[in-house]
Amino acid sequence: METIRTTELAGHLGERVRLHGRLHQTRRMGGVNFVLLRDGYGIVQAVVVDPIALAPIQGLGVETVIELEGRVVAEAQARGGLELHDPVLRVITPVAEALPFPINQPTLTAGLDTFLDHAPLGLRRPAKQALFRVQAGIMAAFRATLDSAGFTEIQSPKLLAAAGESGASVFPVDYFGRRAFLAQSPQFYKQIMVGVFERVYEVGPVFRAEAHHTSRHVNEYVSLDAELGFITDHTTVMTLLTRVLQGIMAHLAARYAADLALLGVRLPGVPDTIPQITFRAAQALVRQQTGEDCSGEPDLAPAHERALGTWAATTHGSDFLFVTGYPMSKRPFYTHPDPSDPTFSNSFDLLFCGTELVTGGQRLHRYPDYLAALAQADLSPEPFAGYLEAMRYGMPPHGGFAIGLERLVMQLTGVSNIREAALFPRDGERLAP
Amino acid sequence: METIRTTELAGHLGERVRLHGRLHQTRRMGGVNFVLLRDGYGIVQAVVVDPIALAPIQGLGVETVIELEGRVVAEAQARGGLELHDPVLRVITPVAEALPFPINQPTLTAGLDTFLDHAPLGLRRPAKQALFRVQAGIMAAFRATLDSAGFTEIQSPKLLAAAGESGASVFPVDYFGRRAFLAQSPQFYKQIMVGVFERVYEVGPVFRAEAHHTSRHVNEYVSLDAELGFITDHTTVMTLLTRVLQGIMAHLAARYAADLALLGVRLPGVPDTIPQITFRAAQALVRQQTGEDCSGEPDLAPAHERALGTWAATTHGSDFLFVTGYPMSKRPFYTHPDPSDPTFSNSFDLLFCGTELVTGGQRLHRYPDYLAALAQADLSPEPFAGYLEAMRYGMPPHGGFAIGLERLVMQLTGVSNIREAALFPRDGERLAP
C-alpha cells in the first residue's frame, strides 16, 4: 500500500491508502468518532464506527505521531470533500503531555509572547503552516522571476571588517580577537557583483541593531535584494520591481490557493504600470487631504503614507503607489541625485496599502562621484576600499531594491505584528527559541 | 535596434544589434583590429576594418564600460562561430587606470592573495564568472529537486542565545549588551521544522570560529541543509541525497555546458545506488590497501579517505562512496545509534573522489532519548529548551544532511583552495573586501 500525503487523496478515491502525520484532533459527533490526521501538507478526517479502532491512541494526546490507513471516500461535508473509512491507526511516537495551548483551534487562544515562547509547537498550527508556506512561495517566485530575466544569484558575506553604510546600527562580533560587524544589507556586495554579472540577486539574512521595539521591526530579517546594471535611471528599477511583484502574486495565486484561503488573504492586483507620484507632489497632496503642511520635512510620516495609500486606492484603484524623488539629505551617500535638481534623488519608495514596503533607486556609478559623495558625507574612503575598487574599474549606471520578506508577508496576510511573520523572531528581548 | 546579450547573438544572424558590456580586450592581427566586448554572460569580438571606429576608446583602458553596435556575421574562427562587423562604439563609463593584474588572460598571473585582495575586479575574469554561475546553478538545482519532493524552504535565525552543538567554535556577538552567538548550522531549527512541515531545506550562511588555516576551511560558508521526517533510518536520507546530487548534475549538464567547458570540468556520474561501505569494513579495507592499521581510530584520516575513493573508482566505477555507521563517540549528541550495535551510529559521510563532501544521518526523535543523550554528554538541557520542546510534543523518525556549497564547487571544479570557491572568503586574516 502506498503512503501518500493529504494533498494526494483525490487521486486515490475508493482505494485504501496509508498516511502519516499527527493526531490533530478527535471528535465525537452523533455517536460516531472522528480522528483528524494532520501532516505537513493538510488535514484529513477518518470516520471511526467501531471504537476498538481507537485503542492504539487510548490515553495519548494530540500531536502523537501516527500512521493511519483507510479507504478514501467522497463526503461533501468533509474538508476537501474526502474522508477515510475503516481506519486502522498505529502509533509512531506517543505524546502524553498536555500542550501549553491548543493548536487545533481556528484562533489562537494564547497571547503572542506565549506563542513565540513555544514557537516549535505553535508553528504547527495550520494557519502558521499556511503562512510560512506562502513565505517560501514568495522566495521561490522572487528567484524565478529574476532567473528568467538573466539575473545570477549571489551569496555575500555577513561578517564585515567595516560597519558599512552607517556605524549606528550594526552588531559587533568578536572575530578572533578583532572587531567585526554583521552585515546590515548586502548593498555594497550586490553593487560590486553588478560589475561581474550585470544582474544579481540575493536572498539572505540581514542584521539591524536598532533598539526600537515596534510591531514593524525585528533585529534579524530576510532581505530580498536585486541590483542591475545598464539602467536608464530609477524608473528601470521600478519596472523590474513591478514585474517581480507580478511574478510573486501570480505564483501565489497559482500554487497557494488553499493556504491563502485559510489565511483569508485576497491577493492585491499589481498593475502593469503602478501609479507614481513625486515626493514633492505627495507632500502637496498630503496637505490637500489632511490639512497638514509637511512641506519642510525630508521624509513622509506613517500617517501621511496612509493618506497617500487611500488616495492611490480611490483615484487609481491601486494598492501600490510609487513615491519618487526623495530628498538627497535622507538617502545614503551612494544615491544618485536627480540630474534636473540635485537636492532630490533618483530613488523611490513603494507603498503597499499606505505602508512602505520597498526602497530602491539608482546608485552613483562614476568613481569621482563616489569620492565626492564620501567627502560630502564626511566619511573616510579607507573602509570602503573594496567597494570603491569596483567603481574605479568601471561600473555601468545601475540600481536596485530590497524587499523585507517578513514585512511583505505581514502586509500581505494582515498579521498585526511582524513577529508573526518570522519563524523565530529576534528582538531586544528575544534570542530564543 | 534591440539591445541583446552575447548569448543571444545566434538568433540575430545578419541583423545589426546593440550590446553593452566592457572593453575586454583589443587585438591587432594581420592589419585588422579586433575589439572584444564582455558582458555579464559571455564575450563577442567585433572586427574593426576602419580604425576610425576605435576613436571613442582612444586612450581608454580595458574594463571601460561600452555600448557596441554591429552586424552579426557567421565566422568559424570566432568564439561561438559569430562576430560583429561594421562596429560602432560608444563609451558609457571610461576607465583610464591600469589594472593590478590582467583579467583578460586565460590564466591568472597574480597570486591568490592578490586576487582575493582585488576580488571586485578579479571576479570579472571569465573563468570566475563561470565558476560562480555554476555555484548559482547548484543552489537552484538543490532547491528544485527538494521542491519537487514536497520540501518547504525555511529561513532560520543566525543569532542565537546558546552556543549550540558545541561551545568551542562559535563567534560571540554583542547583542544589546547581552552575549549572543552566530549559528554554526541550522541543525536544531531544521529538526524543529520537520515537526511542522515534515520536509524542509535551507540555503544560508553558517559561521565556524575554527582558527585552523587550511585550503579546505573558511570561517563563513553557505550550507545546503535538508531534513525530513518519517524515514526508515539513515538509508532513507542517503537515497534523498543521491537524488539531490543527480538533480544538481543533470541541471548543470543541461544549463551550464559552456561554463563547465570553460572550467574544464567533467561532471561526475551519480549512480542510482551509490556504493556504500560500513566504517568498520572501510577500516579493514584501508589496512588491506595501505598496510596501515587504523582499527582503533574513531574517524578516517584524509589519506585513508583518499584510499577509499580510489577503491570505489576502481572497484565500483564510482566517484562517490558512502561510508556508514561511524562510531557514536565522534558524532553529536542528537545522532541516532545503530539499533543492532549502539556503539556505532545511523550516520554517514559521502566521499567524493576520496574527500568528505557531505555528512548526514538519522537523529534521535524520542524525548526521553534526548534527555538521556544530553546527560550522557554532560550537557544541561536548559540551553536546548526550544529544541527539546519539539521533541516533547512528538517527532517522527527523521534525519538529514548538509552540503558545504563552496566545498562542492571546489571539488567539482578542481580549484585547489576553497577561497577560490567563495566570492569574498572569510578566514583568520581576511574580513574584506
Side-chain angles (χ1 to χ4, degrees):
Chain A
M1 194 184 313
E2 207 181 342
T3 301
I4 64 166
R5 298 179 194 142
T6 51
T7 43
E8 297 169 331
L9 284 162
H12 296 267
L13 194 62
E15 298 171 25
R16 273 193 83 78
V17 295
R18 181 187 297 132
L19 297 107
H20 48 219
R22 316 251 171 195
L23 183 62
H24 182 64
Q25 199 170 15
T26 53
R27 287 186 201 146
R28 192 172 170 80
M29 278 167 63
V32 177
N33 288 290
F34 295 89
V35 169
L36 275 68
L37 171 139
R38 186 187 81 246
D39 67 8
Y41 310 89
I43 292 174
V44 66
Q45 72 178 20
V47 183
V48 184
V49 177
D50 184 353
I52 194 82
L54 296 176
I57 56 169
Q58 196 64 43
L60 295 178
V62 292
E63 294 304 294
T64 289
V65 181
I66 55 172
E67 186 180 276
L68 172 62
E69 288 179 21
R71 185 163 41 87
V72 184
V73 173
E75 166 52 58
Q77 303 290 307
R79 197 187 297 250
L82 296 167
E83 63 186 15
L84 294 174
H85 287 195
D86 307 321
V88 176
L89 278 162
R90 189 174 74 82
V91 170
I92 296 173
T93 312
V95 174
E97 294 185 62
L99 311 190
F101 46 78
I103 65 166
N104 56 14
Q105 302 302 314
T107 54
L108 184 60
T109 55
L112 180 59
D113 277 339
T114 305
F115 168 79
L116 294 177
D117 289 343
H118 298 281
L121 179 68
L123 291 169
R124 297 182 189 172
R125 295 182 61 231
K128 283 295 161 190
Q129 289 180 312
L131 186 142
F132 288 102
R133 266 196 296 263
V134 166
Q135 188 176 86
I138 290 171
M139 290 189 275
F142 175 81
R143 295 189 192 104
T145 309
L146 293 171
D147 283 342
S148 70
F151 281 70
T152 299
E153 179 176 8
I154 60 167
Q155 294 277 348
S156 68
K158 306 308 161 204
L159 286 166
L160 309 180
E165 306 176 33
S166 76
S169 55
V170 289
F171 288 112
V173 179
D174 176 358
Y175 191 80
F176 300 117
R178 291 169 65 185
R179 196 173 168 83
F181 300 95
L182 289 179
Q184 62 181 320
S185 99
Q187 182 64 36
F188 295 167
Y189 291 101
K190 67 178 183 169
Q191 288 185 253
I192 289 171
M193 293 308 294
V194 163
V196 177
F197 288 127
E198 289 186 26
R199 301 178 160 217
V200 296
Y201 67 85
E202 178 163 0
V203 175
V206 297
F207 307 89
R208 302 280 170 106
E210 288 148 0
H212 48 50
H213 187 86
T214 80
S215 64
R216 285 176 51 76
H217 294 87
V218 280
N219 296 106
E220 175 180 353
Y221 67 89
V222 176
S223 185
L224 308 175
D225 268 275
E227 195 84 8
L228 79 164
F230 299 101
I231 63 174
T232 304
D233 53 27
H234 57 299
T235 61
T236 317
V237 182
M238 289 158 62
T239 302
L240 174 70
L241 173 56
T242 305
R243 298 295 161 265
V244 166
L245 290 171
Q246 288 178 325
I248 289 172
M249 299 311 159
H251 182 72
L252 295 183
R255 301 276 296 273
Y256 294 86
D259 293 317
L260 296 169
L262 181 63
L263 295 167
V265 172
R266 177 195 68 84
L267 287 177
V270 184
D272 284 340
T273 304
I274 292 175
Q276 50 179 287
I277 187 170
T278 66
F279 178 77
R280 280 184 292 185
Q283 286 188 322
L285 192 70
V286 164
R287 176 150 61 170
Q288 198 184 316
Q289 300 264 312
T290 67
E292 293 173 41
D293 182 2
C294 57
S295 58
E297 300 297 323
D299 208 346
L300 294 167
H304 299 157
E305 291 182 344
R306 281 193 293 277
L308 290 167
T310 305
W311 173 80
T314 54
T315 310
H316 294 282
S318 173
D319 291 323
F320 295 96
L321 175 68
F322 277 121
V323 181
T324 64
Y326 283 77
M328 282 294 284
S329 60
K330 285 292 283 186
R331 294 274 158 161
F333 72 86
Y334 50 78
T335 305
H336 199 293
D338 177 352
S340 68
D341 183 351
T343 58
F344 293 90
S345 64
N346 274 0
S347 69
F348 63 84
D349 274 9
L350 178 66
L351 308 186
F352 173 43
C353 297
T355 308
E356 183 227 310
L357 176 65
V358 190
T359 293
Q362 183 180 2
R363 330 299 185 185
L364 298 173
H365 62 279
R366 293 180 199 87
Y367 182 54
D369 291 347
Y370 271 88
L371 297 182
L374 287 169
Q376 172 84 19
D378 213 14
L379 289 166
S380 156
E382 198 273 325
F384 303 98
Y387 180 54
L388 291 174
E389 182 167 84
M391 310 303 163
R392 183 188 298 133
Y393 297 118
M395 282 290 284
H398 66 281
F401 63 84
I403 309 175
L405 175 62
E406 293 83 350
R407 196 170 284 188
L408 173 54
V409 171
M410 178 191 183
Q411 294 183 211
L412 211 55
T413 62
V415 297
S416 58
N417 193 312
I418 197 166
R419 288 161 186 77
E420 296 195 58
L423 288 175
F424 304 97
R426 297 299 186 238
D427 62 28
E429 287 78 45
R430 197 169 290 280
L431 263 171
Chain B
M1 195 186 311
E2 207 182 341
T3 301
I4 65 165
R5 298 179 194 143
T6 50
T7 43
E8 297 168 331
L9 285 162
H12 296 268
L13 193 62
E15 298 171 24
R16 274 192 82 78
V17 295
R18 180 188 296 134
L19 296 107
H20 48 220
R22 316 245 169 200
L23 183 61
H24 183 65
Q25 201 171 16
T26 54
R27 286 186 203 147
R28 192 173 169 82
M29 279 167 63
V32 177
N33 288 290
F34 294 88
V35 169
L36 275 67
L37 172 138
R38 186 188 81 244
D39 66 8
Y41 310 89
I43 293 175
V44 65
Q45 73 177 20
V47 184
V48 184
V49 177
D50 183 353
I52 192 82
L54 296 175
I57 55 168
Q58 197 64 45
L60 296 178
V62 292
E63 293 305 292
T64 288
V65 182
I66 55 172
E67 186 179 276
L68 172 63
E69 286 178 24
R71 186 165 41 86
V72 184
V73 173
E75 166 52 58
Q77 303 290 307
R79 195 187 296 250
L82 296 167
E83 62 185 16
L84 295 174
H85 286 194
D86 307 321
V88 177
L89 278 162
R90 189 174 74 81
V91 170
I92 296 174
T93 312
V95 172
E97 294 184 63
L99 310 191
F101 46 79
I103 66 167
N104 55 14
Q105 300 304 313
T107 53
L108 184 60
T109 54
L112 181 58
D113 277 339
T114 304
F115 168 80
L116 294 176
D117 288 343
H118 297 282
L121 179 68
L123 291 169
R124 296 182 191 173
R125 295 181 62 231
K128 284 294 162 190
Q129 289 180 312
L131 186 141
F132 288 103
R133 265 197 296 263
V134 167
Q135 189 176 85
I138 290 171
M139 290 189 275
F142 175 81
R143 295 189 192 104
T145 308
L146 293 171
D147 283 342
S148 71
F151 281 70
T152 299
E153 179 177 7
I154 60 167
Q155 293 278 347
S156 68
K158 306 307 162 205
L159 286 166
L160 308 181
E165 307 175 31
S166 75
S169 55
V170 289
F171 289 111
V173 179
D174 176 358
Y175 192 79
F176 300 118
R178 290 169 66 184
R179 196 174 168 83
F181 301 94
L182 289 180
Q184 63 182 321
S185 99
Q187 181 63 37
F188 295 168
Y189 290 101
K190 67 177 182 170
Q191 288 185 253
I192 289 171
M193 293 308 294
V194 162
V196 176
F197 288 127
E198 289 184 26
R199 302 177 159 218
V200 297
Y201 68 84
E202 178 163 0
V203 175
V206 298
F207 307 90
R208 302 279 170 107
E210 288 148 2
H212 47 50
H213 188 86
T214 80
S215 63
R216 285 177 50 78
H217 292 88
V218 280
N219 295 106
E220 175 179 352
Y221 67 88
V222 177
S223 184
L224 308 175
D225 267 276
E227 194 84 10
L228 78 164
F230 298 102
I231 63 174
T232 304
D233 54 27
H234 57 300
T235 61
T236 317
V237 182
M238 290 157 61
T239 302
L240 174 71
L241 173 56
T242 305
R243 298 296 160 266
V244 166
L245 290 171
Q246 289 179 325
I248 288 172
M249 300 311 160
H251 182 72
L252 295 183
R255 302 276 296 274
Y256 294 86
D259 293 317
L260 295 169
L262 181 63
L263 295 166
V265 171
R266 177 195 67 85
L267 288 177
V270 185
D272 284 342
T273 304
I274 292 175
Q276 51 180 287
I277 187 170
T278 66
F279 178 78
R280 279 183 291 186
Q283 286 189 322
L285 193 70
V286 164
R287 177 152 58 170
Q288 197 184 317
Q289 300 265 311
T290 67
E292 294 173 41
D293 182 2
C294 57
S295 59
E297 300 297 321
D299 209 346
L300 295 166
H304 299 158
E305 291 182 345
R306 281 194 293 276
L308 290 167
T310 305
W311 172 80
T314 53
T315 311
H316 294 283
S318 173
D319 291 324
F320 294 96
L321 175 68
F322 277 121
V323 181
T324 64
Y326 282 77
M328 281 295 284
S329 61
K330 284 293 282 185
R331 294 275 158 162
F333 72 85
Y334 50 78
T335 305
H336 199 293
D338 177 352
S340 69
D341 183 352
T343 58
F344 293 90
S345 64
N346 274 0
S347 70
F348 63 84
D349 274 10
L350 178 67
L351 308 187
F352 173 43
C353 297
T355 308
E356 183 227 310
L357 177 65
V358 190
T359 293
Q362 183 180 3
R363 330 300 185 184
L364 299 173
H365 63 279
R366 293 180 200 88
Y367 182 54
D369 291 347
Y370 272 88
L371 297 182
L374 286 170
Q376 171 83 17
D378 212 13
L379 290 166
S380 156
E382 199 272 326
F384 304 97
Y387 180 55
L388 291 175
E389 182 167 83
M391 309 304 163
R392 184 188 298 135
Y393 297 118
M395 281 291 283
H398 66 280
F401 64 83
I403 309 174
L405 175 62
E406 293 83 352
R407 196 169 284 187
L408 173 55
V409 170
M410 177 189 184
Q411 293 182 215
L412 211 54
T413 61
V415 297
S416 58
N417 193 310
I418 197 166
R419 287 159 187 76
E420 297 195 60
L423 288 175
F424 304 97
R426 297 299 185 238
D427 61 28
E429 287 78 45
R430 197 169 290 280
L431 263 171

